[in-house]
Amino acid sequence: MAYLIVTYDIGEDRVNKVRKILKKYFTWVQNSVFEGDITEGKLMKCRLELEQVINKEEDSIYFYSLENRLNYRKTVMGVEKELTGNIL
Amino acid sequence: MGRPYYIFSNGRIKRKENTVYIENENGDKKAIPVEDIDTIHLYGEVDLNTKLLNFLSQQNKIVHVYNYYGFYAGSFMPRDRNVSGELTVRQVEHYLDPERRFFIAFSFVEGAMFHMIRNLREYKDTLEFQEKIKTELANASETKSINELMGCEGRARDAYYQAFNTILNNGFSIEKREKRPPGNPVNALISFANSMIYSTVLSEIYHTQLNPTISYLHEPRERRYSLSLDIAEIFKPLIADPVIFKLVNNNMIRLEDFDEDVNCCYMNETGRKKFLKEFDQKLTTTIKHRKLKRNVSYRTLIRLECYKLIKHLIGDELYTPFKAWW
């Protein structure tokens, strides 16, 4: 398990496909930013799905991983758009 | 393995863009990553349609539903993929043979009492109750029938709940355990905690081949998943009760978090949220497993308990109840 922050920059005609894939695995936090806990296997699966749709010449997706959830602290200025908790 | 999601808001949950969306009364939408879901617990008044159920079934996710008072009402279980006729036959075999049934039933009681004593050890002035439980444990090993065993278990549990009065501060106390309906805040807390343990255990049983209706300590009857009651015995004092002690003694939960009516008392939404936050944290806490030599969470421990039971039933390895060693 690792905690990941994913950001992406994708051409307009593909961006929605990428967003939809990422949405299955991570919680949406901001435009072009997702984050969440994920297992290694699921991450692989997610990356494979992404590879199918992106154009490797133009698009980029960054994965920032934190080995441990406890090593991460998030502070927000302004509006917190989305909460990542599981009690809704 | 995903996380359980607890939905309190009223509104609608639906399938959209291959994931799950919840939409509350004000029309705010939120996407839940489907791969991150293990189970969904519904507390609010939620609408859903077959499209969602089909999707969840495809993804093998379980939905538990609770009524207005937070009591477990039922579950939506996807088509069972892990069926094993052989194991069911073995489960029944062990139930029908009084000696073999007693062995398993006693193991559950032993595990439960071990953890009760372990909980009490943390607090002072509980020695007398610990002794009572120990005597009952000794009595239990002498008994011959399940009924007598249940009697010992009940007396031990009485002593255990009496000890709650010494443990709990901040104006919380329990005269006697009352259910249906719980009469005071402590009873309400215990009832809610237990129902959470039952559904958690049930989710874990469901991930294995065990048949949740065939049980050993509790009499398997219609209309209930009694095996989850059996296995929950071991985990109630290990997981649920420490959460109760923490919430009450650190003044995290207060008397305002309960709604009292004529002879009944229930936790309200803020109370339930507070409890679930701690409960969820507890379930994800990991410990180093001695045999597996890796970190496992409390939730995984429940799953492992199911696997141990399977091994026992198919004659692979003798079942010994889980006993916390730390």
Side-chain angles (χ1 to χ4, degrees):
Chain A
M1 283 288 258
Y3 200 76
L4 253 76
I5 299 165
V6 185
T7 67
Y8 58 87
D9 209 336
I10 310 280
E12 210 180 315
D13 43 343
R14 293 176 299 275
V15 66
N16 225 355
K17 289 183 181 160
V18 170
R19 186 180 61 84
K20 278 184 191 171
I21 294 170
L22 286 172
K23 226 160 65 176
K24 290 198 288 182
Y25 296 89
F26 301 97
T27 321
W28 178 84
V29 271
Q30 254 189 341
N31 290 340
S32 314
V33 182
F34 282 85
E35 65 178 61
D37 258 320
I38 196 162
T39 58
E40 227 167 281
K42 277 183 185 164
L43 181 59
M44 280 286 256
K45 213 171 123 203
C46 175
R47 291 178 74 127
L48 281 172
E49 273 186 68
L50 290 168
E51 265 172 34
Q52 311 279 321
V53 296
I54 62 167
N55 176 343
K56 285 210 175 130
E57 251 80 272
E58 289 175 28
D59 303 335
S60 62
I61 304 176
Y62 293 0
F63 296 89
Y64 301 92
S65 71
L66 300 139
E67 290 307 314
N68 189 337
R69 239 207 120 122
L70 303 172
N71 287 341
Y72 135 109
R73 180 174 298 135
K74 180 165 75 173
T75 46
V76 179
M77 254 174 100
V79 195
E80 180 156 23
K81 286 195 171 172
E82 200 75 354
L83 303 161
T84 50
N86 59 344
I87 300 176
L88 307 167
Chain B
M1 205 151 124
R3 302 191 277 176
Y5 274 81
Y6 306 94
I7 315 280
F8 281 94
S9 39
N10 299 337
R12 202 172 164 73
I13 69 173
K14 58 181 183 185
R15 168 188 188 167
K16 200 187 164 193
E17 296 178 341
N18 273 330
T19 189
V20 178
Y21 267 78
I22 64 164
E23 202 179 308
N24 68 15
E25 290 159 311
N26 316 326
D28 296 334
K29 272 185 247 165
K30 185 187 179 344
I32 305 175
V34 66
E35 298 280 345
D36 191 36
I37 299 174
D38 177 71
T39 43
I40 300 178
H41 298 261
L42 298 178
Y43 291 91
E45 238 177 72
V46 175
D47 290 345
L48 42 87
N49 59 12
T50 43
K51 220 159 92 184
L52 176 89
L53 293 177
N54 276 326
F55 179 60
L56 291 173
S57 166
Q58 213 179 63
Q59 300 283 336
N60 209 7
K61 312 290 179 200
I62 305 168
V63 184
H64 293 305
V65 182
Y66 300 84
N67 72 7
Y68 180 78
Y69 301 106
F71 287 159
Y72 176 69
S75 316
F76 169 72
M77 302 268 186
R79 177 177 63 85
D80 208 343
R81 275 151 242 252
N82 290 330
V83 284
S84 160
E86 196 197 338
L87 185 64
T88 310
V89 171
R90 295 291 170 95
Q91 257 184 282
V92 176
E93 244 172 41
H94 278 256
Y95 168 73
L96 290 174
D97 180 341
E99 231 165 79
R100 284 198 272 183
R101 176 180 174 191
F102 187 83
F103 176 83
I104 301 176
F106 178 73
S107 300
F108 290 141
V109 172
E110 190 191 355
M113 290 192 190
F114 176 86
H115 289 126
M116 285 188 223
I117 297 169
R118 181 172 173 273
N119 269 348
L120 298 187
R121 267 206 311 255
E122 304 277 315
Y123 297 89
K124 19 180 224 281
D125 305 327
T126 56
L127 220 60
E128 134 198 29
F129 303 110
Q130 286 180 41
E131 286 307 321
K132 261 189 209 161
I133 299 176
K134 274 181 198 153
T135 5
E136 288 304 336
L137 184 58
N139 286 346
S141 61
E142 301 291 311
T143 53
K144 286 282 167 300
S145 72
I146 299 283
N147 266 339
E148 289 170 66
L149 184 64
M150 284 289 253
C152 293
E153 199 261 328
R155 281 189 295 276
R157 206 162 275 277
D158 274 346
Y160 179 62
Y161 286 130
Q162 281 309 314
F164 273 37
N165 287 327
T166 358
I167 296 172
L168 299 176
N169 312 324
N170 300 326
F172 280 84
S173 67
I174 177 169
E175 247 169 68
K176 68 181 208 312
R177 176 80 179 111
E178 294 169 309
K179 330 173 218 191
R180 280 173 252 173
N184 66 18
V186 180
N187 274 311
L189 251 172
I190 297 173
S191 287
F192 187 70
N194 288 348
S195 76
M196 283 315 298
I197 291 278
Y198 293 145
S199 59
T200 314
V201 172
L202 184 59
S203 309
E204 296 306 322
I205 291 179
Y206 177 72
H207 286 296
T208 70
Q209 285 84 347
L210 287 168
N211 184 328
T213 55
I214 299 165
S215 59
Y216 302 96
L217 178 60
H218 296 81
E219 202 57 49
R221 270 191 307 210
E222 279 159 49
R223 274 173 270 169
R224 59 179 191 171
Y225 291 127
S226 35
L227 185 62
S228 79
L229 305 182
D230 276 11
I231 297 178
E233 290 295 333
I234 303 174
F235 293 97
K236 277 192 292 201
L238 180 71
I239 298 175
D241 299 339
V243 174
I244 297 176
F245 299 160
K246 182 178 175 189
L247 283 166
V248 170
N249 285 349
N250 295 336
N251 218 354
M252 293 158 84
I253 209 157
R254 287 161 212 216
L255 294 171
E256 298 95 89
D257 295 318
F258 297 87
D259 286 338
E260 276 188 74
D261 214 332
V262 191
N263 337 314
C264 68
C265 175
Y266 295 106
M267 253 203 271
N268 59 25
E269 195 182 312
T270 46
R272 281 181 213 158
K273 276 189 181 163
K274 284 181 193 170
F275 177 85
L276 284 177
K277 190 163 169 263
E278 286 306 313
F279 181 75
D280 195 55
Q281 216 169 50
K282 187 87 185 170
L283 281 181
T284 47
T285 311
T286 57
I287 48 130
K288 180 107 176 171
H289 197 282
R290 286 199 292 196
K291 211 163 148 196
L292 298 176
K293 296 198 170 44
R294 66 177 169 90
N295 289 330
V296 296
S297 66
Y298 277 77
R299 199 139 66 90
T300 319
L301 284 176
I302 302 179
R303 175 91 60 97
L304 293 174
E305 206 60 18
C306 299
Y307 289 147
K308 266 159 58 186
L309 192 60
I310 293 177
K311 281 199 152 188
H312 176 80
L313 294 172
I314 59 174
D316 215 13
E317 213 174 272
L318 217 55
Y319 176 74
T320 46
F322 178 76
K323 287 180 182 171
W325 56 80
W326 60 92

